[in-house]
Amino acid sequence: QSDLAWVGEYNGAITGEVSERVVNAIKEFQKSRGGRQTGVLNPQERSVLADTARRRQENVGWKIVTDAGSGVRLGIPTKLVPQQSSDANGAKWTSPTGTMQIVLSRRKEANPSTAKLAEQEKKANGRAVDYNVVKPDFFVLSGLQGLKKFYLRGTFKGDEVRIMTILYDQAMENTVEPVVIAMSSAFIPFPTGMQE
């Protein structure tokens, strides 16, 4: 799933489970290479897929990092957003020209729920939401914020709210979409074993 996401064929949660969506992504990958669309990768196709995904990760400087301030673990495309700053409320990674930003925010909130948080975030910054998922333990929103596309994933533990927001120019969509899927799956807002 992860490799399929990196090559732009899969856009779901990376769970390791084989679903119809995964089989269809494999068929699309096979079709794009002119192969038979079986939905099952042969060893050569699997190797090509892994190499392609690895190259794409290297091209964007993919790296799993732990934010020192919050302890959040996340994947960052370091070549796309090389500039990093942080404060007590989170951290921010930006591209030199501002075409892409990754914002990690944290705040305290009394009695949070994912539904309440999702509603607050929908209204923030003039967002036009075209996709949203609200589960008991996390929520995801995406759409447009001004002229930029945005993708947001958030959750809470006790009264601590942690949200990752990715903003990027629409012209970067083909480059950034696979990275967004990988970032969403790599986002671990409250890693276990961390001191509170």
Side-chain angles (χ1 to χ4, degrees):
Q1 284 174 325
S2 175
D3 287 351
L4 287 164
W6 275 101
V7 300
E9 297 296 355
Y10 179 78
N11 68 355
I14 297 173
T15 61
E17 296 171 20
V18 177
S19 64
E20 186 178 338
R21 194 181 223 179
V22 172
V23 171
N24 289 337
I26 290 170
K27 287 179 179 176
E28 282 302 312
F29 176 73
Q30 290 169 325
K31 180 179 173 183
S32 72
R33 298 192 24 79
R36 278 190 36 240
Q37 297 172 49
T38 63
V40 177
L41 294 168
N42 66 37
Q44 184 192 1
E45 290 169 328
R46 183 67 189 99
S47 176
V48 168
L49 175 62
D51 287 346
T52 305
R54 185 184 41 73
R55 274 197 314 277
R56 295 213 174 149
Q57 289 174 353
E58 288 169 1
N59 288 343
V60 299
W62 180 249
K63 195 170 151 190
I64 302 293
V65 300
T66 299
D67 172 54
S70 64
V72 170
R73 205 162 51 239
L74 70 166
I76 297 290
T78 59
K79 289 180 183 174
L80 297 179
V81 288
Q83 300 167 341
Q84 199 242 332
S85 61
S86 56
D87 60 28
N89 300 316
K92 186 181 204 174
W93 291 261
T94 53
S95 62
T97 56
T99 53
M100 184 175 182
Q101 292 177 16
I102 298 160
V103 180
L104 181 61
S105 62
R106 59 190 287 216
R107 65 179 187 260
K108 298 280 187 196
E109 191 160 313
N111 304 312
S113 74
T114 50
K116 192 165 83 174
L117 294 169
E119 278 310 308
Q120 288 172 355
E121 294 297 329
K122 279 181 192 177
K123 295 176 180 140
N125 301 313
R127 292 182 176 136
V129 175
D130 61 20
Y131 174 82
N132 79 87
V133 172
V134 180
K135 303 278 186 186
D137 55 341
F138 74 94
F139 66 98
V140 170
L141 305 173
S142 69
L144 285 176
Q145 180 174 315
L147 296 175
K148 291 197 183 300
K149 293 200 79 164
F150 82 91
Y151 175 94
L152 181 150
R153 184 178 178 108
T155 191
F156 67 94
K157 185 175 185 179
D159 66 352
E160 172 98 4
V161 175
R162 295 185 178 176
I163 297 172
M164 173 183 67
T165 307
I166 306 162
L167 289 161
Y168 54 97
D169 285 6
Q170 294 176 59
M172 294 180 70
E173 192 168 352
N174 289 343
T175 304
V176 175
E177 291 286 323
V179 180
V180 168
I181 305 296
M183 288 181 67
S184 180
S185 292
F187 181 55
I188 302 176
F190 297 96
T192 52
M194 298 295 290
Q195 293 298 314
E196 290 292 313

